[in-house]
Amino acid sequence: MSEPTSVEREQEAPLMREAATGPLLPRWFTTLFYVIFIPFCVYSVFYITNSLVMQHRLRAAIAVVKGSLETEPVDLRSTEGQAVLEVLKAQLLESFLYASQELLQDEEKDERMARALALRRAIGWGKVSAERDVIERILDNMEEDGSVDAGFTVDEQMQQILETMVAERRADPEMTYVEDRITDVLEWVAQGHPGQPKGPERRRLAALQEGYAKKVFQSAEAEALRQLAQEWAADPNPVEREAAAAFAEMLAQRRAELSPEAEGLCSQQADRWEGLYHRGMVLIATIGRQLAAQLAEEGVFLDHPHIYQYVSLLNHRYDDVRSEVAAGTWLLRHNQFTIRFLSYFATKTTINPFLAVETVRLTREEHQRLMRHANNRRMREAVALLGRIGVDYISNSDRYDLGVSEPDQFVRRFIISALSEVADEEVISDLVETALRDMREADLARPGPPRFFEETA
């Protein structure tokens, strides 16, 4: 008999199997895991779905209030307005935050405001494009050392444009040192560039040219003007068709000018669209104030980042929006963080220069001016509110629960001392003087010796 092959020997050998170890996890753990995990998943799906539905309702309600290009802002006293308010008040805190966020949005993101801004730029396009052309002609005939080509002469039209530019820039009190030096160059050219150049003339005019390069239609403004050009080109009104043809030239960054009739039409439409946007923002601010009143009345917890966001809206460019925000901030005066942030904004006398950067639409100087104006508006509102709160606290300190260990010391530090530190600031000195005087009188009118202004005793 032949020997078995290796395959046969392997088949005859007993097969050794590993011992069974049982389930990897105990049955009780697996059962407990599924008992907890499945309800958690169901709850999570329900919670996320509910949050998405709530966000959709709040966005829709805010959109109804502020209106759009196709719809008018809603009247809060109407049936529709009351229904919207009910939706918002059902989610009190979230609605308050949504209203604040809406007021913080860039205005050009609204179609109505984008059209208004585009039309206002179109109205000034003739002047700006003429000035841009003059600067380019001068630079084309200027050497690196600032000397002007011998064959270059300033004609009558250029002379008039340059003199107007110089007069406007000299009359502007906010011109920076750098901008004043640019004005010197414009004046030197307008006078026939007498004498020898100092060297930086070309560099300064090149900086001015970069600023004019930003005064074109971009992003939302460009899209808005493009849509208007298409709509008005098909309109039977000849003035609108004329304006549409000019818009096409402007979008191509070519020199164009509107007729007086087209300019009047653009101004009227811009006022109408901005008026609708303005009314919508006031209604949003009014809702924010009403929600703030209910939050204060019901004692709903409002975290300090949300208060900061709301108080920062005191820099809004519309007066009536700032009035509504100031009224809402006053209702939140019993929260210590309202006083802290008002104190911060009241004493924030300068802007951060690193934030005033050059943008696609603005030069660094233009951006700095806008930020400074906004900061000044907020400073004045904050000072006025701090004065009111200080008087109210001194007269009714027993009604305040600021959540601090020494409320009187807190008020001295964040209201009285803070205002005293900025008493000499020109922008707010009148309001600071009034606030400190009113608080001193309120302190003297209290029973007993003065508590906050001991020096007047």
Side-chain angles (χ1 to χ4, degrees):
M1 181 181 293
S2 61
E3 294 291 330
T5 65
S6 59
V7 175
E8 292 173 337
R9 286 197 299 269
E10 289 178 1
Q11 291 175 346
E12 293 176 356
L15 184 63
M16 303 299 293
R17 298 180 179 274
E18 295 182 0
T21 60
L24 295 177
L25 296 173
R27 187 178 298 277
W28 65 268
F29 182 84
T30 304
T31 303
L32 183 63
F33 175 78
Y34 283 111
V35 167
I36 296 174
F37 181 71
I38 292 176
F40 176 77
C41 290
V42 173
Y43 172 77
S44 298
V45 171
F46 172 78
Y47 179 81
I48 293 172
T49 303
N50 186 58
S51 297
L52 292 174
V53 171
M54 180 195 70
Q55 291 175 23
H56 175 74
R57 288 177 178 173
L58 295 184
R59 288 197 187 97
I62 292 291
V64 169
V65 171
K66 73 172 186 176
S68 65
L69 194 62
E70 293 80 19
T71 60
E72 295 272 339
V74 71
D75 185 350
L76 296 180
R77 294 168 297 182
S78 66
T79 303
E80 184 182 12
Q82 290 298 311
V84 168
L85 284 175
E86 290 299 320
V87 171
L88 294 172
K89 289 181 178 179
Q91 302 291 336
L92 195 58
L93 179 58
E94 291 79 3
S95 298
F96 178 76
L97 301 180
Y98 267 83
S100 299
Q101 282 291 330
E102 190 62 41
L103 292 173
L104 286 168
Q105 295 296 317
D106 290 338
E107 57 186 17
E108 65 175 9
K109 291 184 177 180
D110 189 285
E111 288 183 296
R112 298 164 297 182
M113 200 60 189
R115 290 194 170 201
L117 292 172
L119 288 177
R120 297 201 194 286
R121 188 178 292 279
I123 292 171
W125 183 265
K127 179 176 182 294
V128 171
S129 58
E131 293 173 352
R132 184 190 296 113
D133 288 349
V134 168
I135 301 304
E136 290 177 354
R137 285 181 60 187
I138 296 173
L139 285 172
D140 289 341
N141 293 275
M142 182 177 283
E143 303 297 333
E144 290 298 329
D145 62 356
S147 59
V148 180
D149 295 343
F152 174 73
T153 57
V154 177
D155 59 32
E156 184 178 350
Q157 185 180 19
M158 287 183 62
Q159 180 79 21
Q160 183 178 1
I161 292 173
L162 286 170
E163 289 177 353
T164 302
M165 291 176 66
V166 170
E168 290 176 350
R169 293 170 72 89
R170 294 294 190 206
D172 189 346
E174 293 188 312
M175 283 284 143
T176 64
Y177 174 82
V178 173
E179 290 173 319
D180 282 338
R181 301 294 72 78
I182 293 174
T183 307
D184 292 341
V185 178
L186 293 174
E187 189 171 24
W188 175 68
V189 175
Q191 293 173 351
H193 43 87
Q196 294 298 317
K198 298 179 181 179
E201 284 82 1
R202 180 176 177 81
R203 175 169 52 82
R204 289 171 179 170
L205 286 185
L208 180 61
Q209 184 187 37
E210 290 177 4
Y212 274 99
K214 297 177 182 296
K215 296 180 180 181
V216 296
F217 292 94
Q218 302 181 55
S219 60
E221 285 186 19
E223 182 59 30
L225 195 70
R226 193 173 291 109
Q227 291 178 359
L228 282 171
Q230 294 174 356
E231 294 172 10
W232 289 10
D235 195 278
N237 187 342
V239 178
E240 292 194 5
R241 293 200 303 273
E242 176 198 337
F247 294 163
E249 296 296 308
M250 296 174 188
L251 289 168
Q253 299 188 17
R254 289 191 288 266
R255 188 169 177 177
E257 192 166 356
L258 295 171
S259 67
E261 295 77 14
E263 189 173 311
L265 173 65
C266 291
S267 180
Q268 179 184 5
Q269 291 296 326
D271 289 343
R272 184 175 73 85
W273 276 316
E274 183 172 0
L276 291 173
Y277 171 79
H278 179 190
R279 182 183 163 203
M281 292 299 100
V282 173
L283 290 174
I284 296 295
T286 301
I287 287 176
R289 188 250 305 158
Q290 294 179 4
L291 295 173
Q294 193 168 343
L295 285 167
E297 182 181 350
E298 297 180 7
V300 177
F301 174 73
L302 196 59
D303 206 358
H304 64 277
H306 306 147
I307 297 177
Y308 179 89
Q309 176 179 270
Y310 188 64
V311 175
S312 70
L313 290 168
L314 291 171
N315 69 355
H316 203 281
R317 73 185 188 96
Y318 290 135
D319 294 342
D320 33 14
V321 170
R322 292 201 308 276
S323 296
E324 291 290 347
V325 174
T329 303
W330 167 257
L331 296 171
L332 301 174
R333 66 189 180 279
H334 294 277
N335 190 309
Q336 61 163 305
F337 290 104
T338 301
I339 297 176
R340 286 179 184 271
F341 294 135
L342 283 174
S343 180
Y344 168 73
F345 288 127
T347 57
K348 191 175 183 293
T349 57
T350 59
I351 62 172
N352 187 343
F354 295 104
L355 296 180
V357 297
E358 182 177 352
T359 68
V360 176
R361 299 176 64 246
L362 299 171
T363 65
R364 184 177 182 276
E365 290 77 16
E366 290 170 339
H367 192 190
Q368 191 172 12
R369 276 194 285 273
L370 287 178
M371 290 181 64
R372 186 166 59 249
H373 291 164
N375 187 66
N376 289 345
R377 290 193 297 265
R378 187 167 52 199
M379 264 202 307
R380 291 186 63 82
E381 296 288 351
V383 168
L385 279 167
L386 278 183
R388 287 183 63 194
I389 294 172
V391 170
D392 190 59
Y393 179 85
I394 292 170
S395 304
N396 308 286
S397 57
D398 55 322
R399 299 179 185 177
Y400 279 76
D401 182 12
L402 297 175
V404 296
S405 57
E406 297 181 1
D408 286 0
Q409 186 62 31
F410 178 84
V411 169
R412 285 192 189 93
R413 176 185 174 188
F414 287 99
I415 298 182
I416 299 173
S417 296
L419 292 180
S420 299
E421 291 174 4
V422 292
D424 296 331
E425 288 292 329
E426 183 179 359
V427 176
I428 55 175
S429 59
D430 58 328
L431 294 176
V432 172
E433 182 182 359
T434 301
L436 291 174
R437 184 190 66 236
D438 292 346
M439 285 188 287
R440 185 177 288 107
E441 291 175 355
D443 196 23
L444 289 172
R446 290 179 62 260
R451 195 166 78 187
F452 296 91
F453 293 87
E454 290 81 0
E455 71 278 3
T456 60

